[in-house]
């Protein structure tokens, strides 16, 4: 019957290296989301909408990356770690001394370049699968969002 065929799908288990690479991507995404979370609270009104867009994308992608890790037999850790705390602190310190506005685009581009590098690492270690396709799609969403924002001066 049809349900037997549907239930007959072989689970895909990732290797330890693949799971570690995916966890690195998740940790980086969690940290970057935390940074934008802090930024949206401190940003100037004309810049806040940009921070909100990135925050929303990273939140959604954290959920999707976590689901991928779970589907591949891993246990996602969304604690974010030390870098998340450091990132939040750096935004807080920066907002005390200057406005968080368009000149933050340089910092955003730098942070997102690290996320994109982690996407590339995950894409290079995963074989063809719907999970790899989804990571490819997520990377594309981030590239598209970056291309829509003003260039750093």
């Amino acid at each position: 019957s049809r349900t037997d065929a549907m239930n007959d799908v072989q689970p895909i288990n990732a290797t330890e290296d693949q799971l570690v690479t995916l966890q690195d991507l998740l940790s980086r995404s969690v940290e970057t989301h935390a940074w934008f979370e802090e930024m949206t609270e401190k940003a100037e009104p004309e810049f806040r909408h940009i921070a909100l867009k990135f925050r929303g994308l990273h939140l959604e992608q954290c959920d999707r990356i976590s689901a991928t890790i779970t589907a591949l037999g891993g246990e996602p850790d969304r604690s974010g770690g030390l870098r998340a705390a450091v990132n939040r602190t750096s935004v807080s310190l920066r907002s005390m001394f200057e406005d968080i506005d368009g000149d933050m685009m340089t910092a955003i581009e730098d942070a997102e370049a690290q996320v994109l590098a982690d996407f590339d690492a995950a894409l290079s270690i995963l074989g063809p699968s719907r999970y790899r396709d989804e990571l490819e799609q997520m990377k594309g969403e981030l590239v598209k969002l970056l291309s829509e924002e003003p260039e750093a001066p």
Side-chain angles (χ1 to χ4, degrees):
S1 76
R2 187 161 173 247
T3 46
D4 290 342
M6 285 172 57
N7 293 336
D8 197 33
V9 175
Q10 289 296 312
I12 301 173
N13 281 319
T15 66
E16 190 62 31
D17 283 351
Q18 289 170 331
L19 290 173
V20 167
T21 303
L22 286 166
Q23 181 59 53
D24 288 346
L25 173 60
L26 177 60
S27 296
R28 176 86 64 193
S29 296
V30 167
E31 291 154 8
T32 307
H33 171 259
W35 188 57
F36 282 109
E37 185 80 36
E38 189 72 22
M39 198 183 296
T40 54
E41 292 171 21
K42 311 256 190 300
E44 297 298 301
E46 63 275 9
F47 183 70
R48 189 167 185 271
H49 72 282
I50 294 173
L52 282 168
K53 281 195 250 181
F54 280 95
R55 183 186 75 176
L57 181 66
H58 284 293
L59 180 61
E60 179 203 329
Q61 290 191 348
C62 287
D63 290 344
R64 291 164 69 190
I65 296 163
S66 293
T68 297
I69 292 172
T70 301
L72 292 174
E75 291 185 26
D77 173 10
R78 292 180 71 153
S79 61
L82 182 62
R83 275 194 311 227
V86 169
N87 283 338
R88 282 194 292 269
T89 303
S90 72
V91 172
S92 295
L93 289 173
R94 195 166 174 159
S95 69
M96 283 170 36
F97 298 109
E98 60 187 271
D99 296 335
I100 292 182
D101 57 20
D103 67 58
M104 283 295 287
M105 282 313 297
T106 305
I108 289 173
E109 288 165 9
D110 292 347
E112 298 299 4
Q114 294 177 330
V115 176
L116 290 171
D118 284 348
F119 266 116
D120 287 339
L123 288 167
S124 70
I125 201 169
L126 285 179
S129 67
R130 68 188 182 94
Y131 303 108
R132 189 182 186 287
D133 293 345
E134 187 166 9
L135 289 178
E136 191 86 60
Q137 181 186 6
M138 284 189 261
K139 179 187 173 190
E141 292 164 1
L142 182 52
V143 168
K144 182 175 184 293
L145 185 56
L146 280 165
S147 72
E148 292 168 359
E149 297 313 326
E151 292 292 309

